[in-house]
Amino acid sequence: MCLPLLAQPSDDFEHTTGQVDHLLQLARSAKKDADAETYARQSYDLARQVNYEGGIIRSLMFLGDLCARGGRTEEALRFYLDVEEKATLTNNSGVLFSVCTVLGDLYFREKIYVNARQYYLKALGIQPQNYQVMEKAADTYLYDMRFDSAEIMYRDLIVNYRTDGDNTRLVQIYQKLADVYNQNKLPSKALYYYIGIDEILDRYGSPDAKAISYNNLGKQYVLLNDYDKALYYFRKAELQCDYVNCEQPEVLYANLGIALHNTGKTREGLEYLLRARDIVLKNKDRRAQANLEHLITGVYFSNNDLYNALRHNELTIQAARETKQIDILAEAYHTAADIHYGLYDFEKAFNYYKEYLVLLNQIRFDEQAKLNNLVQITRSLKDAESKYKLMISQQRIKETELQGKLTEQNQRLALETQRREDEMRQAMKDKELNEAKLREQAALVLQARAELRYRQIEAARREEMTRSLRAQEQERANNLADSLIKAKQAQELEVALRDKSIATLTASKNLERLKFAYGVGGFALVILALLGISWFYARRAGQRLALQNRKIEAQRDQIEQERRKSDQLLLNILPEEIAADLKAHGEATPQFYPAATVLFTDFIDFTRLSAQLTPEDLIAELNECFLAFDVICEQNRLEKIKTIGDAYMCAGGLPVPNDTHAEDAVQAALEMLKWLSQRNQENPGSIFRQMRIGIHTGPVIAGVVGKNKFAYDIWGDAVNLAARLEELGEPSRINISSATRDAVKHRFATVYRGKKEVHNKGLVDMYFIEG
């Protein structure tokens, strides 16, 4: 039998919560992680026993931090998700912000940037002005190679840091952007941010910081093959190092050597490279030596000095082997093969080239292994998150069911108690009724005794009167008249006394009967009162039931309204046919369309023009244009697919196939250009004034993939070619392929542009729409 939960006394509860906090303090001060985990788990178990919510959350957060620090990522995820669920249920915004931030950090460390961004944005929803979390969210866009989104978010941070005069944070953001652009082979964009760093350090930086900035700018110009500018900045860095002790001067000398060599000053360049080599040898830095020997080898080899190149390349191989720098070792083997080939030692050249191929395969295998490991970690964490969320939901359901059972048991106990109280009250009423009956019987006995006593008194009185009459018989003869009068008076007195006794007894009986009537009336009143109370509570219960029914109806209406809203939101992001399939079967199977027309638009000079706008103005400008394009697409039976930065993509002939999709796309393109022209006339201050449009007709695959954040998309060679047609178009012109031209030539005039080179496609016939 389940017993009802009993409240713990206040003093005991405070004592137990104190123990929970003390155990947590011991966990924080423990020197070993194992001891800290033991204390934290004891704290968590004790907090759960007394339902101490604050202790539960702090214990789980500590355990999550401990597991994350020890590399036990999945265990940390489980603890953090439990904290998130509890904070959400209790609406504890402070804890929810903290746990969303650490969950974002957890996924960021594992390079799962989509999930990390999801939690950072959730934290920003609680504290929108938290710059640190905002920068972390921007980092997820950056490392996920969504550069436009990253720059928009960074732009807000840059404005705030400039306002606050926080130049350190500004330099860190610029450096971060530059590094990522370099890693993704975009040196021109990286140069923009290095120039920004240089402008800040020129005004506020120390000499050693300026030296590093000049060196980075020089390296950037080397990547852009502008060696004259690179040499200029390396010289400025060298000049700064003449006044301060620069860290790692060998790096600057090596950069100077390469820049001088590439500007035709090989002898001077070699002098700087050898100076850098002397510093590295003095520091016994074998890793740096491998890099420098490889650079020196390259300079000698490019200058056709094969013997010096061979000598330094052998030193490169030795240092790279010792330090296990496989990438440099592979390049050294490749260089050794080229040198021996130049020396006509073909056997050694062949052997070194085989060594190079073996290492190259190993490098590729290692990279693939790292990639597979990252994919495995990503899949594992996502599966773990889903599993732990399901476990938490199931645990919450069990707790709710247990609470419901306890509530039901308490209700039954309350009903049983009420029944017993009713029985007790009924027994009291029966007792009172019995006592009334006993009082009535006692009154009747007293009445009978009074009558008996009256009769005894009357009999004694008559006997006394008889004796008196007999004693006075002789006297009656002497005074007969007087005796007759006295006898008559005595008789009248006797009658009066008897009448008085009878009246007294009758009054006593009437009084007892009146008391009995009052008792019965009082009992009837009690019964009426109980009936009235029962009617009142029954009426109140009826009112409550009616109110509850009204609330249920209101909730049903609200649920129906929310369902309609969710259906409308689904139709806003998916076509009606796909949304219906998704709701009916839980998934939408991708479909092949043998003929569809894809349209791309792109604004001219978007990157340059967007830099002149605030983020709010930029979004407003794009939103105005894209809203108009949405209306045009809907009027011409085109399906909007997505926007990518300033690019707008739509398609015709899907999800419901038709025969006019090519004509619909061209008509929509003409209306888009017309709308943009009218907007330019009505609003001379508009920023985006010209755009290119590309259209191609061909087979595509369309559908919804994944299970979260559904998006309708299309794939296929037709999509890629439409994008290339837009890139190779001209401002305010519609560039179409021959396939589209064949489909619309009966309705629209075209002009042949000739064949244009398209990446991975070769020469492609292109046409302009003339009207």
Side-chain angles (χ1 to χ4, degrees), residues 23-73:
L23 286 170
L24 267 179
Q25 186 59 39
L26 289 175
R28 293 190 182 97
S29 59
K31 295 182 179 179
K32 296 182 179 179
D33 286 349
D35 295 337
E37 185 172 355
T38 300
Y39 286 129
R41 287 186 181 275
Q42 291 175 358
S43 173
Y44 171 69
D45 293 338
L46 187 58
R48 282 196 64 185
Q49 290 176 14
V50 296
N51 199 23
Y52 177 25
E53 198 69 29
I56 292 173
I57 289 175
R58 289 198 295 274
S59 301
L60 288 172
M61 282 292 289
F62 182 85
L63 286 167
D65 295 341
L66 193 66
C67 292
R69 189 169 65 243
R72 294 150 58 190
T73 305

Coordinates of all heavy atoms in Angstrom, one line a residue, residues 23-73:
L23 N 28.8 19.1 1.2 CA 29.4 18.1 0.3 C 29.9 18.7 -1.0 O 30.9 18.3 -1.6 CB 28.3 17.0 0.0 CG 28.1 16.0 1.1 CD1 26.9 15.2 0.8 CD2 29.3 15.1 1.4
L24 N 29.1 19.7 -1.5 CA 29.5 20.4 -2.8 C 30.8 21.2 -2.5 O 31.7 21.2 -3.4 CB 28.4 21.3 -3.2 CG 27.4 20.7 -4.3 CD1 26.4 21.8 -4.6 CD2 28.2 20.3 -5.5
Q25 N 30.9 21.8 -1.4 CA 32.1 22.5 -1.1 C 33.3 21.6 -1.0 O 34.4 21.9 -1.4 CB 31.9 23.3 0.3 CG 33.1 24.2 0.7 CD 33.3 25.3 -0.4 OE1 32.3 25.8 -1.0 NE2 34.6 25.6 -0.7
L26 N 33.1 20.4 -0.4 CA 34.2 19.4 -0.4 C 34.6 19.0 -1.8 O 35.8 18.7 -2.1 CB 33.7 18.2 0.5 CG 33.6 18.4 2.0 CD1 33.0 17.1 2.6 CD2 34.9 18.7 2.6
A27 N 33.6 18.8 -2.6 CA 33.9 18.4 -4.0 C 34.7 19.5 -4.7 O 35.7 19.2 -5.4 CB 32.6 18.2 -4.8
R28 N 34.4 20.8 -4.5 CA 35.1 21.8 -5.2 C 36.6 21.9 -4.6 O 37.5 22.3 -5.4 CB 34.4 23.2 -4.9 CG 33.1 23.3 -5.6 CD 32.5 24.7 -5.6 NE 31.2 24.8 -6.2 CZ 30.1 24.8 -5.5 NH1 30.1 24.7 -4.2 NH2 28.9 24.9 -6.2
S29 N 36.8 21.6 -3.4 CA 38.1 21.7 -2.8 C 39.0 20.5 -2.9 O 40.1 20.5 -2.5 CB 38.0 22.2 -1.3 OG 37.3 21.2 -0.6
A30 N 38.3 19.4 -3.4 CA 39.1 18.1 -3.6 C 40.2 18.3 -4.6 O 40.0 18.9 -5.6 CB 38.1 17.0 -4.0
K31 N 41.3 17.6 -4.3 CA 42.5 17.7 -5.2 C 42.4 16.7 -6.3 O 43.0 16.9 -7.4 CB 43.8 17.5 -4.4 CG 44.0 18.6 -3.4 CD 45.3 18.4 -2.6 CE 45.6 19.6 -1.6 NZ 46.8 19.4 -0.9
K32 N 41.7 15.6 -6.1 CA 41.6 14.6 -7.1 C 40.2 14.6 -7.7 O 39.2 14.7 -7.0 CB 41.9 13.2 -6.5 CG 43.3 13.0 -6.0 CD 43.6 11.6 -5.5 CE 45.0 11.4 -5.0 NZ 45.2 10.0 -4.5
D33 N 40.1 14.4 -9.0 CA 38.8 14.4 -9.7 C 37.9 13.2 -9.2 O 36.7 13.4 -9.1 CB 39.0 14.3 -11.2 CG 39.5 15.6 -11.8 OD1 39.5 16.6 -11.1 OD2 39.9 15.5 -13.0
A34 N 38.5 12.1 -8.8 CA 37.7 11.0 -8.4 C 37.0 11.3 -7.0 O 35.9 11.0 -6.8 CB 38.6 9.7 -8.2
D35 N 37.8 12.0 -6.1 CA 37.2 12.4 -4.8 C 36.1 13.4 -5.1 O 35.1 13.4 -4.4 CB 38.3 12.9 -3.9 CG 39.3 11.8 -3.5 OD1 38.9 10.6 -3.6 OD2 40.4 12.2 -3.2
A36 N 36.4 14.4 -6.0 CA 35.4 15.4 -6.2 C 34.1 14.8 -6.8 O 33.0 15.2 -6.4 CB 36.0 16.4 -7.2
E37 N 34.3 13.8 -7.7 CA 33.1 13.2 -8.3 C 32.3 12.4 -7.2 O 31.0 12.5 -7.2 CB 33.5 12.2 -9.4 CG 32.3 11.6 -10.1 CD 32.7 10.9 -11.3 OE1 33.9 10.9 -11.7 OE2 31.8 10.2 -11.9
T38 N 33.0 11.8 -6.3 CA 32.3 11.0 -5.2 C 31.5 12.0 -4.3 O 30.3 11.7 -4.0 CB 33.3 10.3 -4.3 OG1 34.0 9.4 -5.2 CG2 32.6 9.5 -3.2
Y39 N 32.1 13.1 -3.9 CA 31.4 14.1 -3.1 C 30.2 14.7 -3.8 O 29.1 14.8 -3.3 CB 32.3 15.2 -2.6 CG 33.3 14.8 -1.6 CD1 34.7 15.0 -1.7 CD2 32.9 14.2 -0.4 CE1 35.6 14.7 -0.8 CE2 33.8 13.8 0.6 CZ 35.1 14.1 0.4 OH 36.0 13.7 1.4
A40 N 30.4 15.0 -5.1 CA 29.3 15.6 -5.9 C 28.1 14.6 -6.1 O 27.0 15.0 -6.0 CB 29.8 16.0 -7.3
R41 N 28.4 13.4 -6.3 CA 27.3 12.4 -6.5 C 26.6 12.2 -5.1 O 25.3 12.1 -5.1 CB 27.9 11.0 -6.9 CG 28.3 11.1 -8.4 CD 28.7 9.7 -8.9 NE 29.1 9.8 -10.3 CZ 28.3 9.7 -11.3 NH1 27.0 9.6 -11.1 NH2 28.8 9.8 -12.6
Q42 N 27.3 12.2 -4.0 CA 26.6 12.1 -2.7 C 25.7 13.3 -2.5 O 24.6 13.2 -2.0 CB 27.7 12.0 -1.6 CG 28.4 10.7 -1.6 CD 29.5 10.7 -0.5 OE1 29.8 11.7 0.2 NE2 30.2 9.6 -0.4
S43 N 26.2 14.5 -2.9 CA 25.5 15.7 -2.7 C 24.2 15.7 -3.6 O 23.1 16.0 -3.2 CB 26.3 16.9 -3.2 OG 25.5 18.1 -3.2
Y44 N 24.3 15.1 -4.8 CA 23.2 15.0 -5.7 C 22.1 14.0 -5.2 O 20.9 14.3 -5.1 CB 23.7 14.5 -7.1 CG 22.6 14.2 -8.0 CD1 21.7 15.1 -8.6 CD2 22.3 12.8 -8.4 CE1 20.7 14.8 -9.4 CE2 21.3 12.5 -9.3 CZ 20.5 13.5 -9.8 OH 19.5 13.2 -10.6
D45 N 22.6 12.9 -4.7 CA 21.6 11.9 -4.1 C 20.9 12.4 -2.9 O 19.7 12.3 -2.8 CB 22.4 10.6 -3.7 CG 23.0 9.9 -4.9 OD1 22.4 10.1 -6.0 OD2 23.9 9.1 -4.8
L46 N 21.6 13.1 -2.0 CA 21.0 13.7 -0.8 C 20.0 14.8 -1.2 O 18.9 14.9 -0.6 CB 22.1 14.2 0.1 CG 21.6 14.7 1.5 CD1 20.9 13.6 2.2 CD2 22.8 15.2 2.3
A47 N 20.4 15.6 -2.2 CA 19.5 16.7 -2.6 C 18.2 16.1 -3.2 O 17.1 16.7 -3.1 CB 20.2 17.6 -3.6
R48 N 18.3 15.0 -4.0 CA 17.1 14.4 -4.5 C 16.2 13.8 -3.5 O 15.0 13.9 -3.6 CB 17.5 13.3 -5.5 CG 18.0 13.8 -6.9 CD 18.1 12.7 -7.9 NE 16.7 12.2 -8.1 CZ 16.5 11.1 -8.9 NH1 17.4 10.4 -9.4 NH2 15.2 10.7 -9.1
Q49 N 16.8 13.3 -2.4 CA 16.0 12.7 -1.3 C 15.0 13.7 -0.7 O 13.9 13.4 -0.4 CB 16.9 12.1 -0.3 CG 17.6 10.8 -0.7 CD 18.6 10.3 0.3 OE1 18.5 10.7 1.5 NE2 19.5 9.4 0.0
V50 N 15.5 15.0 -0.6 CA 14.7 16.0 0.1 C 14.1 17.0 -0.9 O 13.5 18.0 -0.6 CB 15.5 16.8 1.1 CG1 16.0 15.8 2.2 CG2 16.7 17.4 0.5
N51 N 14.3 16.7 -2.3 CA 13.8 17.5 -3.3 C 14.3 18.9 -3.2 O 13.5 19.9 -3.3 CB 12.2 17.5 -3.3 CG 11.6 18.0 -4.6 OD1 12.3 17.9 -5.7 ND2 10.4 18.5 -4.6
Y52 N 15.6 19.1 -2.9 CA 16.3 20.4 -2.8 C 16.7 20.8 -4.2 O 17.8 20.4 -4.7 CB 17.4 20.2 -1.8 CG 18.3 21.5 -1.7 CD1 17.8 22.7 -1.9 CD2 19.6 21.3 -1.2 CE1 18.6 23.9 -1.7 CE2 20.4 22.5 -1.1 CZ 19.9 23.7 -1.3 OH 20.7 24.8 -1.1
E53 N 15.9 21.6 -4.9 CA 16.1 21.8 -6.3 C 17.4 22.6 -6.6 O 18.2 22.2 -7.5 CB 14.9 22.7 -6.9 CG 14.8 22.7 -8.4 CD 14.4 21.4 -8.9 OE1 13.7 20.6 -8.2 OE2 14.8 21.0 -10.1
G54 N 17.8 23.5 -5.7 CA 19.0 24.3 -5.9 C 20.2 23.3 -5.8 O 21.2 23.4 -6.6
G55 N 20.2 22.4 -4.8 CA 21.3 21.5 -4.6 C 21.4 20.5 -5.8 O 22.5 20.2 -6.2
I56 N 20.2 20.1 -6.3 CA 20.3 19.2 -7.5 C 20.9 19.8 -8.7 O 21.8 19.3 -9.3 CB 18.8 18.7 -7.8 CG1 18.2 17.9 -6.7 CG2 18.8 18.0 -9.2 CD1 16.8 17.6 -6.9
I57 N 20.5 21.1 -9.0 CA 21.1 21.8 -10.2 C 22.6 22.0 -10.0 O 23.4 21.8 -10.9 CB 20.3 23.1 -10.4 CG1 18.9 22.8 -10.9 CG2 21.0 24.0 -11.4 CD1 18.0 24.0 -11.0
R58 N 23.0 22.5 -8.8 CA 24.4 22.8 -8.6 C 25.3 21.5 -8.7 O 26.4 21.5 -9.2 CB 24.6 23.5 -7.3 CG 24.1 24.9 -7.3 CD 24.7 25.7 -6.1 NE 24.3 25.2 -4.9 CZ 23.2 25.6 -4.2 NH1 22.3 26.4 -4.8 NH2 22.8 25.1 -3.1
S59 N 24.7 20.4 -8.2 CA 25.5 19.1 -8.2 C 25.6 18.7 -9.6 O 26.7 18.2 -10.1 CB 24.8 18.1 -7.4 OG 24.6 18.5 -6.0
L60 N 24.5 18.7 -10.4 CA 24.6 18.3 -11.8 C 25.5 19.2 -12.6 O 26.3 18.7 -13.5 CB 23.2 18.3 -12.4 CG 22.2 17.3 -11.9 CD1 20.8 17.6 -12.5 CD2 22.7 15.9 -12.4
M61 N 25.5 20.5 -12.4 CA 26.4 21.4 -13.1 C 27.9 21.0 -12.8 O 28.7 21.0 -13.7 CB 26.1 22.8 -12.8 CG 24.9 23.4 -13.5 SD 25.1 23.6 -15.3 CE 26.3 25.0 -15.3
F62 N 28.2 20.8 -11.5 CA 29.5 20.5 -11.1 C 30.0 19.2 -11.8 O 31.1 19.0 -12.3 CB 29.6 20.4 -9.6 CG 31.0 20.1 -9.1 CD1 31.9 21.1 -8.9 CD2 31.4 18.8 -8.9 CE1 33.2 20.8 -8.5 CE2 32.7 18.5 -8.4 CZ 33.6 19.5 -8.2
L63 N 29.1 18.1 -11.8 CA 29.4 16.9 -12.4 C 29.6 17.0 -13.9 O 30.6 16.4 -14.5 CB 28.3 15.8 -12.1 CG 28.3 15.3 -10.7 CD1 26.9 14.6 -10.5 CD2 29.4 14.4 -10.4
G64 N 28.8 17.9 -14.5 CA 29.0 18.1 -16.0 C 30.3 18.8 -16.3 O 31.1 18.4 -17.2
D65 N 30.7 19.8 -15.4 CA 32.0 20.5 -15.6 C 33.1 19.5 -15.4 O 34.2 19.5 -16.1 CB 32.1 21.6 -14.7 CG 31.1 22.7 -14.9 OD1 30.6 22.8 -16.1 OD2 30.8 23.6 -14.0
L66 N 33.0 18.6 -14.4 CA 34.1 17.7 -14.1 C 34.3 16.7 -15.3 O 35.4 16.4 -15.7 CB 33.7 16.9 -12.8 CG 34.8 16.1 -12.1 CD1 35.9 17.0 -11.6 CD2 34.2 15.3 -11.0
C67 N 33.2 16.2 -15.8 CA 33.3 15.2 -16.9 C 33.8 15.9 -18.2 O 34.6 15.3 -18.9 CB 31.9 14.6 -17.2 SG 31.3 13.5 -15.9
A68 N 33.4 17.1 -18.4 CA 33.9 17.9 -19.6 C 35.4 18.1 -19.5 O 36.1 18.0 -20.5 CB 33.1 19.2 -19.7
R69 N 35.8 18.5 -18.3 CA 37.2 18.7 -18.1 C 38.1 17.4 -18.3 O 39.2 17.5 -18.7 CB 37.5 19.3 -16.7 CG 38.9 19.8 -16.5 CD 39.0 20.6 -15.2 NE 38.7 19.8 -14.0 CZ 37.7 20.0 -13.2 NH1 36.8 21.0 -13.4 NH2 37.5 19.2 -12.1
G70 N 37.5 16.3 -17.9 CA 38.2 15.0 -18.1 C 38.0 14.4 -19.4 O 38.4 13.2 -19.6
G71 N 37.4 15.0 -20.4 CA 37.2 14.5 -21.7 C 36.0 13.5 -21.8 O 35.9 12.8 -22.9
R72 N 35.2 13.4 -20.8 CA 34.1 12.4 -20.8 C 32.9 13.2 -21.3 O 32.0 13.6 -20.6 CB 33.8 11.9 -19.4 CG 35.0 11.0 -18.9 CD 35.2 11.0 -17.4 NE 34.0 10.6 -16.7 CZ 33.8 10.7 -15.4 NH1 34.8 11.3 -14.7 NH2 32.7 10.3 -14.8
T73 N 32.9 13.4 -22.6 CA 31.9 14.4 -23.3 C 30.5 13.9 -23.1 O 29.6 14.7 -22.8 CB 32.3 14.6 -24.7 OG1 33.7 15.0 -24.8 CG2 31.4 15.7 -25.4

